[in-house]
Amino acid sequence: DTPVTCKGDVLRFAFAHFFANDDRYDAFCIFDADNLASRGFLRAMNSALCGGARVAQGRRDSKNPYDTPITGSYSIYYWMFSRFYNQPRSVWGLSATINGCGFMVSADLLKEMGGFHTKTMTEDLEFTTQCVLRGVKVEWVPEAVIYDESPQRFLPSWKQRKRWSTGLLQCLKLYAP
């Protein structure tokens, strides 16, 4: 009966439904409707899960890097984020950051956390923060690649960036103290 206003609400509902009706799931992989997963995505995430990962982020890439300068900019951002943020953090033994989609979370971790409970517009950053505060490392799985469709025009890109910035500020307000 609670209104759905963001992706976090959808994930909270979906996970509650799965747990209420069936206890057989080991893990869940999260994608957006416009994502394409590489052939080895599930195999790589399963290997990470079997290797002890409780939450893991795959490498995000673009479906349309050459469509417009805006989609090209998103592609560069994804490539840089993978190469210069998640990869070094992984090498140093630090947590990666969940980046919207293309991630896996174990059912056991969700049960321990009482489900998926985020409040901000950036459920990915907030869930990463919740994991880190619990001492759970987000593993980096670069061989698990997903392809995301980037906005082609300025206005949709601006709205998305504005939403991400708002969510970042919401996370800071909730978790910085």
Side-chain angles (χ1 to χ4, degrees):
D1 294 336
T2 306
V4 174
T5 60
C6 62
K7 185 175 172 182
D9 292 343
V10 172
L11 291 173
R12 179 175 27 268
F13 172 81
F15 289 135
H17 175 75
F18 281 117
F19 289 142
N21 297 313
D22 199 332
D23 202 25
R24 296 178 297 169
Y25 299 100
D26 295 326
F28 302 92
C29 290
I30 308 305
F31 304 98
D32 287 348
D34 63 350
N35 293 153
L36 293 176
S38 63
R39 281 185 166 266
F41 183 92
L42 293 177
R43 186 175 330 122
M45 285 301 184
N46 187 58
S47 292
L49 180 68
C50 291
R54 304 185 75 204
V55 60
Q57 174 64 51
R59 183 167 50 90
R60 190 171 178 179
D61 205 341
S62 293
K63 282 171 46 177
N64 56 338
Y66 305 109
D67 286 359
T68 69
I70 291 169
T71 62
S73 296
Y74 273 85
S75 298
I76 292 168
Y77 168 77
Y78 295 149
W79 300 332
M80 300 279 290
F81 192 80
S82 293
R83 178 80 171 157
F84 297 114
Y85 189 80
N86 276 337
Q87 185 66 35
R89 291 183 64 80
S90 176
V91 169
W92 296 331
L94 301 172
S95 183
T97 298
I98 296 170
N99 189 240
C101 49
F103 71 96
M104 176 274 299
V105 58
S106 72
D108 290 341
L109 178 59
L110 286 172
K111 286 177 191 169
E112 281 177 26
M113 296 175 83
F116 194 89
H117 299 286
T118 59
K119 301 174 184 99
T120 68
M121 295 175 85
T122 50
E123 78 294 327
D124 51 354
L125 179 60
E126 185 175 0
F127 189 66
T128 300
T129 303
Q130 291 171 351
C131 288
V132 169
L133 290 173
R134 293 180 73 83
V136 176
K137 179 182 169 188
V138 177
E139 299 291 339
W140 170 237
V141 186
E143 56 277 3
V145 182
I146 60 119
Y147 299 92
D148 192 33
E149 188 154 355
S150 300
Q152 295 185 3
R153 294 174 312 175
F154 178 76
L155 190 56
S157 175
W158 177 258
K159 287 179 181 178
Q160 185 178 60
R161 293 288 169 173
K162 202 164 101 174
R163 188 173 67 246
W164 291 349
S165 297
T166 300
L168 174 65
L169 294 174
Q170 290 172 335
C171 279
L172 281 171
K173 183 178 177 183
L174 278 174
Y175 295 98

